[in-house]
Amino acid sequence: MARDHGFHPVRITRIVDETPDARIAAFPGPVIAALNGHAYGGGAEFALAADIRVAADDVRIAFNQVALAIMPAWGGAERLAALVGPGRALLLAGTGQVLDAHEAERAGVVDLVLPRASFKNGWRELARRLAHRPAREIKRVMGPGHSPQEAARAFARLWVTDEHWEAAERVMSRGK
């Protein structure tokens, strides 16, 4: 039987429900987690709340809450299972296995590994490329509850914008 440590499960659940990770995951535009240092426990959970995880090649990541006899509680277990599948998620979170950046990329926990020397410029260039309207629309229609028809409507909204026609003109003029 557990001793009373002065914490009530209902109060803890409310605190967990109000974490910054939920706000990161709900942000309407693309969010990049630029992992320039090790991400263990809650840091790994924060990284999973982002849409894209970019890691320097010398970084390590682990869901090591198990070492404290607890589990990922900020949506990390669910997000990890969605990324890597339930079996691998249980293996990683249940054992606290530490992954280097390349292992994390192969497992699907990290999306892109960059050399430490070019890390800062690399993730910032990626952010610049994603910081436009179509990426935001793509993220929106990829979310839960959106149909192929909604994607088609988003495409139509983008098709009629000045940005689309200016970009199309640039592409067409390159071939001349």
Side-chain angles (χ1 to χ4, degrees):
M1 181 158 172
R3 290 181 287 159
D4 181 0
H5 295 281
F7 297 104
H8 190 276
V10 172
R11 193 171 336 134
I12 292 172
T13 301
R14 191 173 359 183
I15 292 167
V16 168
D17 287 345
E18 298 167 1
T19 63
D21 324 32
R23 293 172 57 194
I24 292 167
F27 189 77
V31 176
I32 298 172
L35 304 175
N36 68 346
H38 302 317
Y40 285 18
E45 288 191 75
F46 271 108
L48 289 192
D51 301 302
I52 298 168
R53 285 150 303 284
V54 180
D57 59 3
D58 58 350
V59 164
R60 296 184 180 281
I61 186 166
F63 300 87
N64 64 338
Q65 292 90 332
V66 68
L68 299 172
I70 58 173
M71 60 176 278
W74 298 342
E78 299 86 344
R79 290 184 186 107
L80 183 60
L83 285 172
V84 304
R88 181 162 290 197
L90 182 56
L91 176 67
L92 294 173
T95 66
Q97 179 182 353
V98 178
L99 302 173
D100 68 32
H102 293 288
E103 290 169 329
E105 183 180 37
R106 285 190 299 275
V109 176
V110 167
D111 299 298
L112 179 63
V113 175
L114 298 172
R116 169 61 68 188
S118 60
F119 178 74
K120 184 177 178 181
N121 290 338
W123 79 259
R124 287 182 176 192
E125 176 57 28
L126 175 62
R128 276 190 286 282
R129 291 174 51 206
L130 287 169
H132 53 78
R133 188 171 176 187
R136 188 181 190 115
E137 286 292 318
I138 292 166
K139 177 180 177 175
R140 189 178 63 74
V141 300
M142 287 172 47
H146 289 90
S147 67
Q149 292 80 16
E150 179 55 30
R153 287 190 290 273
F155 171 84
R157 283 191 302 274
L158 292 168
W159 183 267
V160 299
T161 64
D162 290 340
E163 293 99 336
H164 163 68
W165 290 104
E166 290 166 7
E169 185 63 35
R170 282 192 306 274
V171 169
M172 298 306 271
S173 66
R174 279 190 229 156
K176 293 179 181 179

